[in-house]
Amino acid sequence: MTNAIKKEIEELRQVLNHHNHQYYVLSQPEISDYDYDQLMNRLIVLEKAHPEFADAHSPSQRVGNDSNSDFKQITHKYPMLSLGNTYNEQELRDFDKRVKKELNQDCQYACELKYDGTSISLSYQNGKLLHAVTRGDGEKGDDVSQNVKTIRSIPLVLNPGSYPERFEIRGEIFLPHKAFEKLNKEREETGENPFANPRNAASGSLKIQNSSLVAKRRLDCFLYNLLSDQLPGDSHYQNLNLCKSWGFKIPSERKLCQSIDEVWDYIMYWDTERRNLPFDIDGIVIKVDSISQQNQLGNTAKSPRWAISYKFKAEQAETRLLSVSYQVGRTGTVTPVANLEPVLLAGTTVKRASLHNADIIDTLDLHLNDVVQVEKGGEIIPKIVGVKTELRKNKAEKILFIENCPECGSRLVRNVGEAAHYCPNSKTCPPQIKGKIIHFISRKAMNIDSLGEETIELFYQQGLVKSVADLYKLNREKLMPLERMAEKSVKNILTNLELSKNVPFERVLFALGIRHVGATVAKNLAKAFGSIQKLREASLEALTDVEEIGEKIAESVREYFSDPENLELIEFLQQQGLNFEASVKAAESDLLKGLQIIASGKLQKYSREEIKQVIEAHGGKAVSSISKQTSYLLAGENIGPNKLKKALDLGIPVISEEDFDKMLAR
Ligand code: IVH
């Protein structure tokens, strides 16, 4: 029986590795996502039931697990150097001359794209991924293996081949444009700051201390440098071809060039073609192809003498500033936007540029009708980087930041130490009212998905809804007469509103839209205070004692609760049955005194925060990594096989959620 299971597990791993490679490396899927998930689920179930067959290289590791410990530092076997830069044809030709002079013979150049992400060094031993380390200071970096295992295009186990017993392969982890846009959209929905560009998003993602969150980011990785004491051949280009056959995602846009003229053609080609790539590059890397020639040239302290990068210029265009308009967000923040004479830049027509705040307008000393230089760097929205003051007409009108709200006329406020202006009229300023309601119903808040922006706009226009409280006053009689409202949608809306009463406190708190209180802050506040009543009574000191809460947020929370209208709203929502208390109450006891408990995997009754609270409320210690001191491993659904194996190896009892509840019922 167990033999048959072992065999099934091994077969599943093999099949999943194959489909993984087809999909993520070759982009040629052979089965549907659904079938893939079915196979993966079966493997997870079998591995969970049979921890004796656990394997750190199983494809099931790709789903991540939720409690990485702090990153360990690992010293690079070969230091991670950087590259010298060139910016024009002359500098490139100078590099070629230096190389040829030093070599005293001809050479070939391998040209590659310069991926704009974050570099990574992967070590393999006997065909298995050993660890993944960030560049760090070039000498040593962070061990981010758990996070990197979630990147589907990185093989955990190699295809059969003649790879060296031990080698390192380096490359760039990046976020393709599509994944970047999706991520930023989600962040805006949860009140988190969007990433400025895919590069920041990629490096930020790698540092998350929770690999199941990293798994959702859909990072990708191109590999471009093989290092070993036993390299297969003398050509870098050919070695990478071999790496491809072992299962690595090696870029196809490489070219082996016979002369520097050919290199220049390659550069010129990609200078325009890069716009059609689904990811960012910021230049071209030119490498002497022969490894023995590379060794002959050697390295300086910082960079190799056998390679150089050619950096593309950030694309710029000149156009005219037509006007500045101001947008009011849901928390009243006023953002200036430059309206430009349409101009072609990096393949798209640019009509607007972000100006961020009043300081930027001042620094640029913007005047109406100015000829401005716009630039599109790694950022999605172009920015104004310069003004041609010499072309300005004598009596040109200086751009002055507006003093009153463009929507409601209120005098704008600017807090000391903050760059942004905002409209203080949160009660009747239309975009603020609508924005607050739209935020309240959004997916990560109350998740009332039968209502959308358009419906809220319609309700607002009809005078039906002027605050979130009004949502809970809606009924069939009010909705049916509206245009385009069918029986079914009315029913859906009312049912969804009813269901929203089950949404947990932390999300209700987020939904209230308190300035600076995003999803994570709301979670921390809910955990720390447990109820709206306690939160309302909390002093500034008590608030700033909470994880990740600084003075700015604390003050904003105090200000929110000092407004009688907000208190009235909360009271009304409480009467409607919304949750204003965390579901787990600290029922203090000594039942778990002296015990160290680690919870892992998805639990039925508790969120990660809640289980911690319960353990601690009963005198226990909630820990995040297994050691000999651990008393119990509380295993939930989809628990990582690593954890299970480690617990079994150390003889630590594994308990279920039911066992845990029984311990508390004593
Ligand atoms: S080779 C010794 N090849 O550029 C240098 N680097 O400025 C080995 N990069 O840290 C690097 N694309 O993160 C190489 N095709 C490519 C690259 C590349 C992007 C990054 C890499 C490196 C940085 C150097």
Side-chain angles (χ1 to χ4, degrees), residues 81-83 112-115 119 172 224-225 285 287 304:
L81 302 173
S82 58
L83 287 171
E112 294 162 11
L113 304 186
K114 187 168 189 302
Y115 302 96
S119 48
E172 201 83 354
Y224 47 63
N225 201 13
V285 183
K287 302 175 180 173

Side-chain angles (χ1 to χ4, degrees), residues 501-512:
K501 296 175 183 171
N502 299 326
V503 165
F505 173 45
E506 60 188 46
R507 275 172 49 199
V508 177
L509 187 57
F510 168 56
L512 291 178

Side-chain angles (χ1 to χ4, degrees), residues 246-264:
W246 304 336
F248 290 108
K249 184 157 177 162
I250 305 294
S252 52
E253 302 92 0
R254 298 175 295 137
K255 189 168 187 224
L256 194 55
C257 296
Q258 307 301 326
S259 68
I260 201 71
D261 289 336
E262 228 183 290
V263 170
W264 185 246

Side-chain angles (χ1 to χ4, degrees), residues 515-532:
R515 181 188 292 272
H516 305 310
V517 178
T520 315
V521 169
K523 208 179 255 182
N524 291 345
L525 288 173
K527 180 185 150 196
F529 297 99
S531 72
I532 199 89

